[in-house]
Amino acid sequence: MSGSFEAPASLTQATGGRGGGMAIVVVGPSGAGKDSVMAYAARHFTGTDRVVFATRVITRPADAGGEDHRSVDAETFMRMKRDGAFCVSWEAHGLSYGVPAEMLQAIEAGGVVIVNGSRQALPAFAAAFPRVKVVSITADADVLAERLARRGRESAAAIAARLERRPGEADCGLDIETIDNSGPLEIAGNAFVALLNTALGAGGTSLVGQKPVG
């Protein structure tokens, strides 16, 4: 991931240097395809600089699969947290997750930051960022079961137990939009791309292509 974020001159001029950006926090159950939908959008938005795809810091091995992330051990994570390296951090499934503090700078500069988040951390996102929209990626239960089985990380019983759990809605007054990713990736991917273009238009500039930034 990049060490810092510096607003490009075009962005600073368009926003007058004021904080007109927003965070889009993507949530959803395992198997819903959050990473795939975000990767689809990142490929679509290549070539300009007003969208930032955040690279999370996670206490998970770099070769564990899934999203591209910065891998650190627990001690390093806690030191980074104490030093103010994260604008949002949380614990889940025995791991620690952190969103680099420079993502807040990107939003304050007028950018749109996409973060792979967690429902339980939504209050922290609401507290950290001036504007937040939540995108919930979902899929039918049978589709989730098939994808989880294909992944091969859990037994059939563990998958069934996971699917029986219903995530609680975070009571933080955030704008939440749902995208169904039960079918072909292009359908959900294009819906997410359209949502990002709407967010960019709301910020004062309608853009066609963006560049993912780690």
Side-chain angles (χ1 to χ4, degrees):
M1 73 177 210
S2 61
S4 62
F5 174 87
E6 180 178 354
S10 59
L11 174 55
T12 303
Q13 293 167 2
T15 63
R18 299 186 301 275
M22 69 185 302
I24 295 182
V25 183
V26 182
V27 301
S30 296
K34 290 189 301 178
D35 292 338
S36 296
V37 172
M38 285 187 287
Y40 182 96
R43 291 191 296 270
H44 180 88
F45 287 105
T46 299
T48 56
D49 52 19
R50 271 199 61 210
V51 168
V52 180
F53 286 83
T55 299
R56 300 191 297 183
V57 178
I58 310 176
T59 55
R60 180 171 63 195
D63 59 356
E67 69 180 286
D68 180 26
H69 65 282
R70 177 181 174 185
S71 175
V72 299
D73 59 31
E75 182 179 352
T76 300
F77 188 96
M78 292 306 300
R79 184 175 68 250
M80 294 176 70
K81 185 176 180 178
R82 287 194 302 267
D83 292 343
F86 308 131
C87 53
V88 179
S89 63
W90 68 94
E91 311 287 326
H93 311 299
L95 299 173
S96 298
Y97 298 80
V99 179
E102 55 263 33
M103 296 300 99
L104 181 57
Q105 295 175 263
I107 291 172
E108 290 175 343
V112 173
V113 170
I114 296 93
V115 182
N116 187 345
S118 167
R119 282 186 178 275
Q120 72 182 62
L122 290 181
F125 280 103
F129 297 127
R131 295 176 62 204
V132 178
K133 183 178 183 67
V134 180
V135 177
S136 178
I137 306 296
T138 66
D140 294 338
D142 57 341
V143 174
L144 293 176
E146 179 184 351
R147 290 174 181 169
L148 291 171
R150 191 184 312 137
R151 199 166 59 177
R153 299 178 187 171
E154 298 173 297
S155 66
I159 291 173
R162 177 188 289 275
L163 294 177
E164 286 178 1
R165 294 195 293 268
R166 293 290 185 267
E169 293 295 334
D171 185 18
C172 49
L174 294 175
D175 178 20
I176 301 179
E177 183 160 341
T178 299
I179 294 177
D180 191 308
N181 189 32
S182 300
L185 175 60
E186 290 78 9
I187 296 176
N190 287 334
F192 190 46
V193 167
L195 184 148
L196 292 181
N197 275 320
T198 298
L200 291 164
T205 306
S206 179
L207 303 180
V208 175
Q210 305 304 323
K211 180 181 180 180
V213 178

